[in-house]
Amino acid sequence: MKLKMMYAFLNTDITLIEKELEQTVHTDETLITDASLHLLQAGGKRIRPVFVLLAAKFGHYNIDQIKHVAVALELIHMASLVHDDVIDDADKRRGKPTIKAKWDNRIAMYTGDYIFARALEVMSEVKDVEAHKILSNTMVELTLGEIEQIKDKYNLNQNLRVYLRRIKRKTALLIAASCQLGAIAAGAPEDIHKRLFWFGYYVGMSFQITDDILDFISSEEQLGKPVGSDLLQGNITLPVLYAIENAEFRDKVEQLFERGYEQELINEIISDIKSSNAIERSFEMSDRYLQKAMSILEELPPNKAKKTLHQIAKYIGKRKF
Amino acid sequence: MKLKMMYAFLNTDITLIEKELEQTVHTDETLITDASLHLLQAGGKRIRPVFVLLAAKFGHYNIDQIKHVAVALELIHMASLVHDDVIDDADKRRGKPTIKAKWDNRIAMYTGDYIFARALEVMSEVKDVEAHKILSNTMVELTLGEIEQIKDKYNLNQNLRVYLRRIKRKTALLIAASCQLGAIAAGAPEDIHKRLFWFGYYVGMSFQITDDILDFISSEEQLGKPVGSDLLQGNITLPVLYAIENAEFRDKVEQLFERGYEQELINEIISDIKSSNAIERSFEMSDRYLQKAMSILEELPPNKAKKTLHQIAKYIGKRKF
């Protein structure tokens, strides 16, 4: 089943959120509206809003309250992507030129800042004090994750713990916050929204590991950017961490980092990773997180949202793009 | 009288805020702590925290509540400076190398993001919903001001209205918010905190215009950066807008923008501005805003804070560095 089919029963509300996203970034400053819409209209899975809505089903679901959280979280995610592309010097995202490529780094930096500020404006409609604490903590962690990513670029001496902490900060916590804040905005009790936090956290870890695997095993067409982009940008992901246990392979990566872009060497590295057990071991790690997510889910009361979260989690762990 | 003497009676609380600022930016990620402390310890007038504290004197002053607003606003100001220096490609601020110069643009971008996120974390201690709305609106305006600044760089065809809107967004609204939020955090009634908003707004406009004047008439030693830095970075400020009414002078500025850094031409331009009436007219504009600020102040109940705000406003309009 396709991802979008799983939450087809939320379509009316997702369409509403899509509209609100566009309205929110709109301003009379055309440059910034254009840059924001450029990113927004490139699509994306909108997985954070979907998690917000599904989590809200465990409370008193009222779209007029919940939409603020859904819009804010997607915007924060978007803002972080814009700044990410500056750091990674990335020219393509979702098959379209990035803001930094189409305009420049300065515009990208402030477009990110602007989208970020808009997110907070939307979020200020949420009255729950705890929600604001959770969101701001998540944002602090997110920026620390970004800084770690810069610091650990091209560093082959990082260990698994460093990698896991980085993807926790960069990805998992925002998905965890989406689940928890959706529940909080719907007035769900503490034991429910705390469980949803952990569900989101484990799914987020699995999601990012799968993402890091796909960077090697998927196609440029499906990725919307060249295969192996992470490594070319110096980001050491789980498959690489496993593969460099082999000294010969490690040498090749060191060569790549020294000599820079060289298509033949890149192809060799990608093919080496694919034929090693690094991909399999990475999938195993992703699965372990997924299993944890499923166990937490078991503890939640039965409803349609629970079933959908189960399907989505399963999909996320197994997806091919 | 020196600025710091005017609010000497707040010294205990200002020292507390200074300590909280340092504690807030601290993290186990040494790179980011270092970069943040580097900026923090370069000093600055801490004018926003001072306005927060003074405005809070019009309500029920409780430093344990108000400090969150004071710390958050200074951090937001700092974060915007860090991103500003990336855009302006500035190497010096307050006589010390900027973060982008000492580290690099990427570190500067995320240090800004990090400080911003920390500000929100601190602000989440404030329970008042209106306060969050005001702050997030201010941040949206701030980023729009930054974008306008990029867009209008090197553009000699901008008019006074464009300049005033830009400094409103970039400077005045954050000072206005400092005054208003200080009062709100202290539970001051609406008619008081709205007046304080307008007081801060007018003072902020005057403050920025004076800043823009000082960039030409002060010394490198006092500015902590070269004289004429604004113009060299392509930022068209009020003295320039007035001075380019003279066609011959306008030609020189166009030459500067075309030919780039040329010390002789820069010296000539600075000397031309100083000997024209542009500085005097700019001071007149600054004074007009200051008078408006003073009128608003008249409408506030008499107390020590009111007297101090009057002194500070007067100082800000007349300061020489």
Side-chain angles (χ1 to χ4, degrees), chain A residues 27-32 80 82-87 104-107 109-111 113-118 120-122 124-127 129 132-133 136-140 143-144 146-148 150-151 153 165 169, chain B residues 27-32 80 82-87 104-107 109-111 113-118 120-122 124-127 129 132-133 136-140 143-144 146-148 150-151 153 165 169:
Chain A
T27 155
D28 52 2
E29 200 56 71
T30 48
L31 176 65
I32 206 165
S80 81
V82 178
H83 282 188
D84 234 20
D85 288 337
V86 175
I87 299 301
D104 64 25
N105 277 337
R106 301 174 318 158
I107 299 293
M109 190 175 79
Y110 279 132
T111 303
D113 287 0
Y114 167 77
I115 295 173
F116 206 40
R118 280 285 188 217
L120 298 172
E121 209 175 36
V122 172
S124 73
E125 296 295 328
V126 178
K127 311 294 173 228
V129 174
H132 292 279
K133 274 202 186 158
S136 55
N137 289 337
T138 308
M139 285 181 344
V140 168
T143 54
L144 287 174
E146 303 280 12
I147 296 270
E148 280 171 359
I150 298 177
K151 219 185 57 180
K153 267 191 187 209
R165 188 180 62 181
R169 286 179 154 166
Chain B
T27 155
D28 53 1
E29 199 58 68
T30 49
L31 176 66
I32 207 165
S80 82
V82 179
H83 282 187
D84 234 21
D85 288 337
V86 175
I87 299 302
D104 64 25
N105 277 337
R106 302 174 317 158
I107 300 292
M109 190 174 79
Y110 279 132
T111 302
D113 287 358
Y114 167 77
I115 296 173
F116 204 40
R118 279 284 188 220
L120 298 172
E121 209 174 37
V122 172
S124 72
E125 297 294 327
V126 177
K127 311 295 174 229
V129 175
H132 291 279
K133 275 204 184 157
S136 55
N137 289 337
T138 308
M139 285 181 345
V140 168
T143 54
L144 288 174
E146 303 280 11
I147 296 270
E148 281 172 358
I150 299 177
K151 220 184 57 179
K153 268 192 186 208
R165 188 180 62 179
R169 285 179 153 165

Side-chain angles (χ1 to χ4, degrees), chain B residues 88-89 91 154 220 225-234 252-270:
Chain B
D88 288 337
D89 206 19
D91 288 326
Y154 303 103
E220 175 156 358
K225 58 183 181 180
V227 178
S229 287
D230 287 340
L231 190 60
L232 277 170
Q233 289 157 0
K252 282 187 196 168
V253 177
E254 274 172 0
Q255 268 178 50
L256 178 74
F257 288 168
E258 273 162 32
R259 304 202 315 235
Y261 193 87
E262 231 173 72
Q263 195 56 55
E264 211 175 313
L265 184 55
I266 296 165
N267 292 344
E268 211 181 304
I269 286 176
I270 291 171

Side-chain angles (χ1 to χ4, degrees), chain B residues 29-282:
Chain B
E29 199 58 68
T30 49
L31 176 66
I32 207 165
T33 307
D34 288 352
S36 305
L37 286 180
H38 172 77
L39 182 66
L40 203 56
Q41 286 159 356
K45 289 180 272 305
R46 305 284 190 256
I47 201 75
R48 290 154 197 83
V50 168
F51 277 137
V52 170
L53 299 186
L54 289 170
K57 294 280 183 192
F58 291 89
H60 309 289
Y61 188 96
N62 173 358
I63 187 65
D64 290 326
Q65 280 169 10
I66 298 150
K67 68 178 183 183
H68 303 304
V69 175
V71 169
L73 279 160
E74 184 66 12
L75 290 178
I76 287 170
H77 169 62
M78 276 176 60
S80 82
L81 292 184
V82 179
H83 282 187
D84 234 21
D85 288 337
V86 175
I87 299 302
D88 288 337
D89 206 19
D91 288 326
K92 277 192 155 189
R93 174 171 300 274
R94 296 169 184 165
K96 286 179 78 176
T98 56
I99 292 179
K100 67 131 271 169
K102 198 170 173 194
W103 287 274
D104 64 25
N105 277 337
R106 302 174 317 158
I107 300 292
M109 190 174 79
Y110 279 132
T111 302
D113 287 358
Y114 167 77
I115 296 173
F116 204 40
R118 279 284 188 220
L120 298 172
E121 209 174 37
V122 172
M123 195 62 194
S124 72
E125 297 294 327
V126 177
K127 311 295 174 229
D128 188 289
V129 175
E130 197 186 357
H132 291 279
K133 275 204 184 157
I134 292 168
L135 189 69
S136 55
N137 289 337
T138 308
M139 285 181 345
V140 168
E141 292 293 320
L142 190 63
T143 54
L144 288 174
E146 303 280 11
I147 296 270
E148 281 172 358
Q149 181 165 335
I150 299 177
K151 220 184 57 179
D152 291 331
K153 268 192 186 208
Y154 303 103
N155 173 15
L156 291 178
N157 293 318
Q158 58 187 285
N159 58 29
L160 187 62
R161 201 182 53 82
V162 169
Y163 167 77
L164 293 175
R165 188 180 62 179
R166 189 167 68 235
I167 67 169
K168 167 186 153 190
R169 285 179 153 165
K170 273 205 60 189
T171 305
L173 287 177
L174 196 60
I175 293 181
S178 303
C179 293
Q180 187 172 23
L181 293 177
I184 287 178
E190 190 177 333
D191 63 316
I192 299 281
H193 72 66
K194 290 225 158 134
R195 284 201 174 88
L196 281 161
F197 169 90
W198 284 108
F199 168 77
Y201 168 74
Y202 290 130
V203 164
M205 292 297 281
S206 171
F207 178 81
Q208 187 57 53
I209 293 169
T210 310
D211 222 46
D212 292 344
I213 296 169
L214 291 174
D215 191 63
F216 290 106
I217 67 168
S218 190
S219 65
E220 175 156 358
E221 198 192 339
Q222 284 186 318
L223 290 170
K225 58 183 181 180
V227 178
S229 287
D230 287 340
L231 190 60
L232 277 170
Q233 289 157 0
N235 296 323
I236 315 296
T237 57
L238 191 57
V240 180
L241 274 184
Y242 284 139
I244 57 172
E245 290 173 9
N246 175 312
E248 204 183 320
F249 178 81
R250 189 189 169 107
D251 283 347
K252 282 187 196 168
V253 177
E254 274 172 0
Q255 268 178 50
L256 178 74
F257 288 168
E258 273 162 32
R259 304 202 315 235
Y261 193 87
E262 231 173 72
Q263 195 56 55
E264 211 175 313
L265 184 55
I266 296 165
N267 292 344
E268 211 181 304
I269 286 176
I270 291 171
S271 139
D272 282 357
I273 287 197
K274 282 162 117 170
S275 63
S276 76
N277 66 358
I279 298 297
E280 199 190 317
R281 287 169 71 194
S282 300

Side-chain angles (χ1 to χ4, degrees), chain A residues 52-96:
Chain A
V52 170
L53 299 186
L54 287 170
K57 293 281 184 190
F58 291 89
H60 310 289
Y61 188 96
N62 173 356
I63 187 64
D64 290 326
Q65 280 170 11
I66 298 150
K67 66 178 184 183
H68 303 304
V69 175
V71 168
L73 280 160
E74 184 65 12
L75 290 178
I76 287 169
H77 169 61
M78 276 176 60
S80 81
L81 292 185
V82 178
H83 282 188
D84 234 20
D85 288 337
V86 175
I87 299 301
D88 288 336
D89 206 19
D91 288 327
K92 277 193 154 188
R93 173 171 301 272
R94 296 170 185 166
K96 286 179 77 174

